[in-house]
């Protein structure tokens, strides 16, 4: 059947090529609708309770991610004017939509007011907060403080009226007249200074921005905070908001406010977008660089530009099928999937390379073109099928992970690799015939040079040298195995106990920390310094009544942490109120007594200076019980859901020395706050950015070994079935495992930690790396066990296949994103180790095994494919 398909392709080459091009155009056209989603949530384990709670939370508060705009110049006034102008421009459309919605009586009318704005609200300072607390400061005194003040005033009035005598001042009867008298509370007078000063200190603590703006003390930087409807994980709405704000800032022209003014952006949104832009741009560069180097390598190896058409056409068709499948199945591709272009190109060209090399080999030995095409396909069929199977398995092993990012990556890679293999049988023969017909009409200098081989049918001195040294000194190459095993036994046990990368600072973009969003985030920290709950991790309870119990339980969990406490405080709506309604009512009653004592007659008896001071401190009559809805917007909105429920939102504030880049801290935070069990047995699944990223770490720890084991087991099954002999399967798998073991040992020796990107390198290496030893083994099988001749004929194509795959991964080595960089290094190391074992260790092992008569019989007893006499 395969031979017949090759013959048909040779007779109708233009039809086959036209169908391939039409299919590819249709597939790429369909795949052009594929959406690129670069938000981090697309990589997270979607079935974890923490992530699901985080998604529900994002819906309840409608995002909540922050975009901080910072104006920096030497002139405080210019900075404040710019922030005021920007706030006015941002608030104007919000006011118009709110007024429109308020005038409507039904949902249809409100819908006509336009879609919800990307901005929930804008905060430009603390003037409203200062005014509110100034008017209600007496309510923020404790009951004990107010009772003490009331008693002091009552005593002072009694002393002044002569109703009682100050015995302590005059000395008690029978006492020591010479003893110093202790001042009575009455000597504090009516000024209430102690209580007043304490309230003023509290007001300063509540409002830490005395200018009314979010600013540094010297006014060099003034900030504005935008709270968005985005979750701040790099989604499209966040990018759209940043673009809108950037355009608005540009129209305002900061230089018009001060020539030296600079405006920058910090917060969740610009940081996430900076990371995703780094990833996307690197995906494009990785694909482009890999393609250029692969094209150059193929042209140099074959000394033919025409060979590019033969190799790249089926590769492009397979890649288009993979992305079209992603469009059909998912409708989008995530950040990790963006790099599949470079990887599929690097891996996919292996199959047409092997087939083209077999064809040129047969042609060089004088075989007619039509027969060479047929025999090349049949001869390489098993090796190609095994290569496609193990590569597809390598990607398919990722589909069992909980990471959406890698599950999707594995599915697309599986389809892409298999489609490249499926397309080479009709496409490569058809393309060869078409090129030969075209070249027949071209001048000689535009044609491919005829392929050349030695008398024994081999090409290249390097392949002959490899065959010679591995046959002469096989034990020398086999001696490498115990060395690697010994090093692994020394290095791996300690490494395996804790191989994970917990330092998130070593995983993101290097440049973003030095410039752009990263540098402006440091400036935002200078402005806010952890004030106004900026440093708190937002969480939600199911009901406001649960919050006090949740707070108590989180603090209790934190106190039990054997490594020490992480939590500084849990901020709730109650912290912004002056007590419960009952406590406030008690305070108001005391304040009314104080106010009643300060009658006009009493005040008239005071000196003018004292009367003025007492009047300024006299509790106002308008004081009333304050509820959550009465708090100023700047405070209330932090604790409010979309539906207007106030009090379910709370913030876990961590100590200043707690690093959010430390994955171990994130795991401890998740243990403390992630699943809170209340005293009545109620489970409240809370979530925050730290707990979600902690879930990434847990998923990585669980899925990494699982995917690696699945890949190894599936590859083993394919190899055992395909080799046709236990000894042959053992030889291929020993070479593969030795290559992977060498890679893991190098990682341990260099302390290369496993992170959420490079942990897929080992499962992929088992699949991709298996192609090389199996190709060498299969060629030896077809040659009746002649290992040296098999190596001479297969070393070149195997090395070229490895070269293209290394380029697919190697382009990531230069990535600015450190996680991608490490993925590139690990994958390249695995490739090089596996190809070295295939070309050195495996031939040496087969030479030693070949000395056994039983092994020779196993070569001959294997299933020989038709045409093996030409192998």
């Amino acid at each position: 059947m395969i031979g017949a398909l090759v013959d048909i392709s040779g007779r109708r080459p233009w039809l086959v090529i036209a169908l391939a091009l039409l299919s590819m155009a249709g597939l790429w056209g369909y795949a052009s609708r594929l959406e690129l989603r670069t938000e981090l949530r697309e990589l997270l384990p979607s079935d974890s309770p923490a992530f699901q709670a985080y998604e529900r939370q994002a819906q309840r508060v409608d995002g909540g991610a922050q975009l901080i705009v910072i104006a920096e110049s030497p002139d405080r006034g210019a900075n404040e004017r710019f922030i005021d102008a920007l706030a006015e421009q941002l608030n104007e459309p919000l006011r118009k939509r709110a007024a429109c919605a308020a005038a409507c009586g039904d949902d249809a009318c409100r819908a006509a007011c336009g879609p919800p704005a990307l901005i929930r609200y804008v905060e430009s300072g603390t003037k409203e907060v200062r005014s509110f607390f100034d008017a209600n400061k007496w309510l923020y005194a404790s009951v004990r403080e107010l009772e003490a003040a009331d008693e002091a005033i009552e005593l002072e009035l009694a002393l002044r009226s002569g109703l009682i005598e100050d015995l302590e001042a005059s000395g008690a009867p029978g006492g020591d007249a010479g003893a110093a008298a202790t001042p009575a509370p009455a000597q504090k007078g009516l000024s209430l200074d102690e209580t007043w000063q304490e309230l003023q200190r509290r007001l300063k603590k509540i409002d830490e921005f005395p200018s009314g703006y979010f600013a540094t003390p010297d006014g060099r930087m003034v900030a504005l905070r935008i709270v968005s409807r985005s979750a701040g994980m790099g989604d499209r709405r966040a990018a759209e908001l940043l673009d809108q704000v950037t355009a608005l800032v540009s129209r305002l022209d900061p230089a018009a406010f001060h020539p030296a003014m600079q405006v920058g952006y910090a917060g969740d949104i610009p940081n996430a977008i900076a990371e995703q832009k780094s990833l996307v741009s690197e995906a494009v560069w990785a694909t482009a660089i890999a393609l250029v180097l692969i094209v150059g390598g193929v042209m140099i190896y074959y000394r033919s530009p025409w060979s590019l058409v033969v190799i790249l056409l089926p590769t492009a068709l397979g890649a288009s099928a993979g992305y079209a499948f992603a469009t059909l199945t998912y409708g989008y591709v995530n950040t990790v999937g963006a790099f599949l272009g470079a990887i599929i190109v690097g891996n996919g060209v292996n199959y047409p390379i092997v087939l083209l090399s077999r064809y040129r080999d047969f042609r060089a030995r004088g075989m007619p073109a039509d027969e060479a095409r047929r025999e090349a396909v049949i001869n390489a069929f098993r090796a190609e099928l095994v290569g496609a199977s193990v590569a597809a398995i390598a990607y398919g092993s990722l589909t069992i992970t909980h990471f959406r990012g890698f599950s999707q990556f594995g599915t697309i890679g599986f389809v892409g690799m298999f489609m490249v293999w499926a397309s080479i049988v009709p496409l490569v023969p058809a393309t060869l015939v078409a090129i030969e017909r075209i070249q027949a009409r071209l001048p000689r200098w535009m044609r491919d040079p005829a392929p050349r081989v030695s008398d024994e049918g081999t090409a290249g001195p390097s392949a002959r040298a490899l065959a010679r040294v591995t046959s002469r000194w096989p034990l020398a190459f086999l001696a490498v195995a115990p060395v690697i095993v010994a090093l692994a036994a020394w290095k791996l046990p300690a490494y395996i106990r804790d191989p994970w990368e917990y330092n998130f600072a070593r995983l993101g973009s290097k440049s973003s920390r030095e410039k752009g969003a990263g540098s402006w985030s440091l400036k935002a920290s200078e402005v806010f310094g952890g004030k106004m709950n900026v440093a708190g991790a937002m969480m939600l309870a199911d009901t406001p009544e649960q919050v006090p119990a949740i707070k108590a339980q989180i603090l209790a969990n934190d106190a039990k942490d054997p490594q020490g406490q992480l939590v500084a405080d849990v901020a709730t709506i109650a912290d912004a109120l002056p007590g419960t309604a009952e406590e406030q009512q008690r305070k108001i009653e005391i304040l009314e007594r104080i106010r009643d004592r300060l009658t006009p007659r009493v005040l008239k008896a005071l000196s003018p200076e004292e009367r003025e001071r007492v009047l300024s401190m006299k509790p106002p009559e308008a004081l009333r019980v304050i509820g959550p809805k009465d708090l100023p917007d700047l405070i209330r909105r932090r604790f409010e859901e979309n539906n207007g429920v106030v009090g379910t939102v709370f913030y876990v504030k961590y100590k200043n020395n707690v690093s959010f880049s430390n994955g171990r801290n994130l795991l401890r935070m998740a243990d403390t706050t992630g699943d809170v069990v209340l005293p009545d047995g109620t489970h409240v699944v809370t979530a925050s950015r730290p707990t979600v990223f902690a879930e990434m770490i847990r998923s990585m720890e669980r899925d990494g070994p699982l995917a690696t084991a699945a890949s190894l087991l599936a590859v083993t099954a394919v190899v055992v079935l395909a080799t046709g002999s236990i000894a042959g399967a053992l030889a291929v798998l020993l070479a593969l495992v030795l290559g992977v073991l060498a890679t893991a040992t190098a990682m341990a020796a260099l302390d290369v930690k496993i992170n959420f990107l490079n942990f897929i390198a080992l499962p992929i290496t088992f699949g991709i790396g298996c192609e090389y030893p199996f190709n060498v083994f299969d060629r030896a099988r077809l040659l009746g066990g002649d290992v040296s001749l098999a190596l001479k004929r297969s070393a070149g194509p195997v090395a070229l296949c490895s070269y293209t795959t290394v380029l697919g991964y190697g382009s990531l080595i230069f990535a600015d994103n450190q996680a991608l960089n490490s993925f590139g290094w690990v994958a390249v190391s695995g490739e090089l180790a596996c190809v070295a074992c295939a070309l050195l260790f495996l031939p040496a092992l087969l030479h030693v095994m070949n000395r056994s008569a039983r092994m020779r019989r196993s070569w001959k007893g294997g299933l020989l494919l038709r045409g093996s006499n030409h192998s």
Side-chain angles (χ1 to χ4, degrees), residues 669-736:
M669 292 174 189
D671 291 337
T672 299
T673 67
D675 185 11
V676 180
V677 182
L678 302 183
D680 62 1
T682 303
H683 280 255
V684 181
V685 182
T686 59
S688 63
R689 289 171 67 89
T691 59
V692 169
F693 283 108
E695 190 63 28
M696 283 181 64
I697 297 173
R698 290 197 181 104
S699 183
M700 178 180 67
E701 292 174 346
R702 177 183 62 246
D703 291 342
L706 180 65
T708 303
S711 179
L712 175 59
L713 290 175
V715 165
T716 300
V718 170
V719 171
V720 169
L721 290 172
T723 52
S725 72
I726 298 299
L730 183 62
V732 172
L733 291 173
L734 278 175
L736 172 63

Side-chain angles (χ1 to χ4, degrees), residues 537-551:
M538 183 178 69
M539 299 182 187
L540 271 77
D542 296 331
T543 65
E545 292 73 24
Q546 290 178 338
V547 170
I550 292 174
K551 175 178 180 176

Side-chain angles (χ1 to χ4, degrees), residues 222-282:
V222 180
L224 172 146
R225 187 162 62 219
I226 300 168
V227 178
S228 74
R229 299 187 187 278
S230 163
M233 303 287 275
D235 55 278
R236 181 180 294 178
R237 290 195 300 176
E240 186 178 343
L241 174 59
L242 182 58
D243 289 342
Q244 289 180 3
V245 174
T246 303
L248 179 56
V249 168
S250 180
R251 288 198 298 272
L252 286 174
D253 188 14
F257 293 82
H258 192 281
M261 182 176 291
Q262 290 184 317
V263 176
Y265 308 93
D268 308 322
I269 290 175
N271 283 324
I273 291 174
E275 291 287 347
Q276 77 176 29
K277 284 184 176 179
S278 171
L279 288 172
V280 173
S281 64
E282 286 162 14

